[in-house]
Amino acid sequence: MINLAVAISVLLVVVVLVLLFRIQTLASIFTGSSQKRVSHSNKVNALLMLLFLLVGGAAFIWSWVKDQDKFILPVASEHGVWIDEMFWLTMVILGIVFVITQILLFWYSYKFQHRDDKRAYFFPHNNKLEIFWTVIPAIVMAILVFRGWKTWTTITNPAPEDAVVVEVVGKQFNWMVRYPGADNKLGKVKHTLIDGTNELGMDFSDKASMDDFIVNEIHIPKGKPVLFKIRSRDVTHSFYIPYFRAQMHAVPGMPTKFWLVPTKSTADMANEVGNPDFKYELVCNQICGRGHFAMRAVIVVDEPEDYEAWVAKQKSFIESNPDLLTNMKGSVPALKAAPAIETETPGDKAAENAEEIVKEEATL
C-alpha cells in the first residue's frame, strides 16, 4: 500500500508539472512573448559543444599516447605483420573520417545555434551528395575487403610439408598438447579409448601413434613453419595466441588448423618488452564454463637448435605408459568396432568420421 501511495504521488507531481508548463506556454502566446522562449542558456550550450570538442579531443590524444604500449602488443609472427598492416590501414581511414565528422558535428552545433533573426534553410534532397557519400564509402570498403580476403587466403593456404606439427586439444578446463615423433605424423585417435590415462584416446594399433609424445608446455622453433591442429573434447573453446596474431575455434567433432612462422624467440621478446620473466601464452577467449580462467598454456619459442635438443629429450607417450599396450591386446574387438578420427586428414574426412561417431553413440 505504501509503494502504491508513493507511485500515485509521483504521478500526480508529474501531471501538475506538465500542466504548469502548458499554462506558461499559453500565457506567453497570449502576451505575445512566445517568440522569445529561448534563453541565454542556448548560447551557453553552443559554447559547451566547442569546449567538449576541444577537451574531449585532447583527452583522447593524451590517453592514446600515454597507454598505447599497453594495448598494442609486439608482433611475433610473419603473418602477424600483415594483420597489423591491415588493422592500421583500417584504423587510419576510419580515424580520418571520425575526426572530420566529429569536428563538423560540434562546429555545426555551435554555428547553427538558434537565433531569433534566422530561419533554417529547407534542404530536402541532393543527388550529387547522395552519390558522393554512397560511392566513396563503397569503393573504400571494397578495397579493405579485397585486401582482407587476400591476406586471409594467404594465411589459410596449406602449410609447407616440412612444417612442425603440434596438436592442441581443448577440454574443460585445460589444453592437451601432442607432438608426432620422428615420422612427423600424428596417429589416429578414438573416442572410445579415452580414459584417465589416455586422455586423447590415442589408438596404438596405428603405428604412427607409437612415437607420439604429450607435453604440458608447447615448444616451437623460431623461423620455421608450425602447423597447429586444433580439436575440442567437449565444448567450443578458442585457441588464441595474441602475440602471434592467431585465433581459431576448437570445435567438438570438427578439427581446425592454423599455421604460422614465429619470428621472435621467447628470449627475443623478453628483451624487447624489458621483462626477463616474459612468456608467450595460449589462452581460451571463448567462455567455456566455470573454470574458463584456467584455460591457459605456456608457449616457448626456441632457437632451432634448442628446439631440436628439446624434442630429443622427450619420451613417447607409450614409453611412459607401457600398460596401455597390454590393455589394448585384451580389447581388440572393441578397437575394431570404434571408428577412428584421422588427425592428418582434411576437414571433410574428419567431419565424416565425427558423424560416424555420433551414429554409433545413438545406437548404444
Side-chain angles (χ1 to χ4, degrees):
M1 291 297 293
I2 296 177
N3 293 336
L4 179 61
V6 172
I8 293 174
S9 300
V10 172
L11 179 62
L12 290 175
V13 170
V14 172
V15 171
V16 169
L17 292 176
V18 171
L19 291 175
L20 289 174
F21 176 77
R22 286 178 59 84
I23 292 172
Q24 182 183 10
T25 303
L26 291 173
S28 63
I29 293 175
F30 284 120
T31 59
S33 61
S34 61
Q35 301 301 320
K36 300 180 180 180
R37 292 197 302 268
V38 178
S39 64
H40 293 293
S41 62
N42 181 70
K43 189 172 184 178
V44 172
N45 287 330
L47 290 171
L48 287 175
M49 286 287 187
L50 288 181
L51 182 63
F52 183 84
L53 172 63
L54 297 174
V55 175
F60 174 79
I61 295 172
W62 172 79
S63 65
W64 174 272
V65 173
K66 180 178 180 294
D67 294 325
Q68 61 176 319
D69 58 327
K70 296 179 181 178
F71 55 82
I72 303 178
L73 298 178
V75 62
S77 66
E78 285 186 357
H79 82 272
V81 176
W82 311 333
I83 296 291
D84 279 8
E85 289 176 353
M86 192 167 56
F87 172 80
W88 285 116
L89 174 63
T90 304
M91 286 295 293
V92 168
I93 294 174
L94 294 181
I96 292 173
V97 174
F98 174 80
V99 170
I100 293 175
T101 54
Q102 294 306 302
I103 290 175
L104 292 176
L105 172 66
F106 288 101
W107 169 249
Y108 278 19
S109 298
Y110 170 78
K111 181 176 177 59
F112 297 105
Q113 61 182 283
H114 174 82
R115 289 187 174 90
D116 291 336
D117 58 340
K118 291 187 176 182
R119 293 177 63 86
Y121 176 69
F122 183 63
F123 192 76
H125 185 72
N126 186 293
N127 287 331
K128 292 182 179 179
L129 282 178
E130 292 286 348
I131 293 174
F132 176 79
W133 61 49
T134 301
V135 173
I136 299 301
I139 293 174
V140 174
M141 181 63 71
I143 293 173
L144 293 177
V145 170
F146 177 77
R147 182 181 174 88
W149 168 80
K150 187 177 180 181
T151 301
W152 180 246
T153 53
T154 303
I155 294 172
T156 54
N157 278 337
E161 293 185 0
D162 62 341
V164 173
V165 179
V166 183
E167 182 184 48
V168 181
V169 181
K171 76 175 181 68
Q172 295 175 315
F173 294 98
N174 67 287
W175 297 101
M176 297 177 290
V177 184
R178 178 169 65 133
Y179 286 76
D183 58 0
N184 201 34
K185 181 179 179 181
L186 291 168
K188 298 177 182 179
V189 294
K190 295 180 179 180
H191 72 286
T192 54
L193 297 177
I194 295 175
D195 57 27
T197 303
N198 188 6
E199 292 190 282
L200 292 176
M202 295 168 62
D203 180 7
F204 296 105
S205 64
D206 178 15
K207 293 182 179 179
S209 297
M210 300 303 291
D211 59 354
D212 292 355
F213 61 90
I214 295 176
V215 295
N216 295 322
E217 188 176 73
I218 303 173
H219 282 249
I220 54 178
K222 172 185 171 182
K224 293 188 176 182
V226 179
L227 173 61
F228 288 102
K229 291 180 171 290
I230 305 163
R231 295 191 292 121
S232 173
R233 213 182 74 171
D234 37 45
V235 301
T236 299
H237 301 280
S238 188
F239 176 93
Y240 180 46
I241 42 180
Y243 284 92
F244 301 96
R245 306 299 193 266
Q247 175 176 313
M248 182 65 70
H249 279 353
V251 184
M254 188 179 75
T256 55
K257 57 186 178 181
F258 196 103
W259 74 275
L260 54 86
V261 179
T263 56
K264 298 175 183 177
S265 68
T266 299
D268 293 337
M269 187 60 73
N271 291 331
E272 182 174 338
V273 300
N275 178 11
D277 298 323
F278 172 84
K279 294 179 180 178
Y280 291 114
E281 282 191 338
L282 160 64
V283 296
C284 174
N285 67 352
Q286 186 81 10
I287 298 178
C288 55
R290 181 178 295 180
H292 167 69
F293 65 91
M295 293 287 294
R296 302 171 68 187
V298 173
I299 297 180
V300 178
V301 179
D302 295 312
E303 296 294 339
E305 57 276 12
D306 294 333
Y307 173 77
E308 295 298 334
W310 175 81
V311 171
K313 295 178 181 178
Q314 306 306 311
K315 291 184 178 180
S316 66
F317 184 73
I318 197 63
E319 184 181 353
S320 301
N321 299 273
D323 292 343
L324 290 174
L325 282 180
T326 304
N327 297 335
M328 184 188 71
K329 293 177 181 178
S331 57
V332 173
L335 291 175
K336 292 181 178 179
I341 297 177
E342 290 277 2
T343 57
E344 287 291 312
T345 56
D348 53 349
K349 179 63 178 177
E352 181 181 324
N353 289 330
E355 291 179 2
E356 294 179 9
I357 294 174
V358 172
K359 290 179 181 179
E360 179 182 332
E361 290 179 341
T363 60
L364 294 178

